[in-house]
Amino acid sequence: GIQVEQSPPDLILQEGANSTLRCNFSDSVNNLQWFHQNPWGQLINLFYIPSGTKQNGRLSATTVATERYSLLYISSSQTTDSGVYFCAVPPQGNTPLVFGKGTRLSVIA
Amino acid sequence: DTAVSQTPKYLVTQMGNDKSIKCEQNLGHDTMYWYKQDSKKFLKIMFSYNNKELIINETVPNRFSPKSPDKAHLNLHINSLELGDSAVYFCASSQDSSGSGLFGQGTRLTVV
């Protein structure tokens, strides 16, 4: 089945720093999602991004579908950005999401 | 106005008991899912229902039985609970069957 790999597995940032999280996937997909799981366990949709670039405030994401990777950019990080960031893809058109193992981000003041 | 709601949020129970987790979505979505998140935070699909019909059933013990009385509800019943069932269970729904959609707040199940 499809493999979804995220890097780095862990990241510690000083508040105000910028970071880039990466998601590689092993097969063609027609969608990709980024999620943030906050320290309380809630999973929050960040982006649906099968291709191209999207921005939402301090976060932006870029997916290069032909090269099978996606990047999540966090600028001017804040302590509230801490948590685990997952990317997930549906292996085929109509199948549930396959998740990467996540990047655990800790932003310290 | 919660879009996907699960109850209960926390569940502590003894080994051997039978328990249910309920999920409801008010989005009019056709497809609902149950995912399991283990202690290492790994999220994996368990079941997928489309318009009350089971379409995906991953390798899950048959002690787990999903039930969908209508397309807005997908409940998860677990028989003879075991210590290894301790995890966070997430319900989700989507308009199509691609999994892209919204997740509930999760149910943390602890079996003692």
Side-chain angles (χ1 to χ4, degrees), chain B residues 54-112:
Chain B
L54 178 66
I55 56 173
I56 295 279
N57 181 356
E58 292 295 313
T59 307
V60 175
N62 57 13
R63 297 181 295 105
F64 290 78
S65 53
K67 288 192 169 48
S68 182
D70 54 62
K71 77 171 193 177
H73 296 84
L74 180 62
N75 304 323
L76 183 64
H77 189 75
I78 316 170
N79 290 327
S80 303
L81 278 155
E82 300 177 357
L83 293 176
D85 298 332
S86 296
V88 181
Y89 293 85
F90 285 95
C91 176
S93 73
S94 66
Q95 181 55 41
D96 56 27
S97 305
S98 69
S100 305
L102 292 175
F103 280 69
Q105 77 272 31
T107 296
R108 182 175 295 276
L109 171 65
T110 304
V111 182
V112 297

Side-chain angles (χ1 to χ4, degrees), chain A residues 18-109:
Chain A
N18 303 327
S19 64
T20 301
L21 282 55
R22 188 176 179 105
C23 174
N24 293 332
F25 43 96
S26 61
D27 206 349
S28 298
V29 296
N30 61 4
N31 200 2
L32 184 142
Q33 275 184 264
W34 282 99
F35 293 87
H36 175 217
Q37 187 167 34
N38 63 24
W40 295 271
Q42 190 178 8
L43 269 174
I44 300 164
N45 282 304
L46 297 177
F47 296 102
Y48 298 96
I49 185 162
S51 63
T53 297
K54 291 186 178 179
Q55 180 146 12
N56 184 1
R58 296 181 295 103
L59 302 181
S60 65
T62 295
T63 296
V64 183
T66 53
E67 297 187 24
R68 300 179 185 170
Y69 73 89
S70 183
L71 302 174
L72 178 69
Y73 305 95
I74 304 174
S75 63
S76 304
S77 58
Q78 300 176 359
T79 55
T80 51
D81 296 330
S82 296
V84 183
Y85 289 81
F86 291 100
C87 76
V89 298
Q92 298 169 3
N94 293 315
T95 54
L97 294 172
V98 174
F99 281 78
K101 293 186 177 181
T103 292
R104 185 181 298 274
L105 174 65
S106 299
V107 181
I108 54 177

Side-chain angles (χ1 to χ4, degrees), chain B residues 35-47:
Chain B
Y35 290 84
K36 180 180 179 181
Q37 186 173 39
D38 63 22
S39 58
K40 296 182 179 178
K41 298 287 191 182
F42 189 52
L43 272 153
K44 189 173 180 183
I45 185 68
M46 298 175 69
F47 301 101

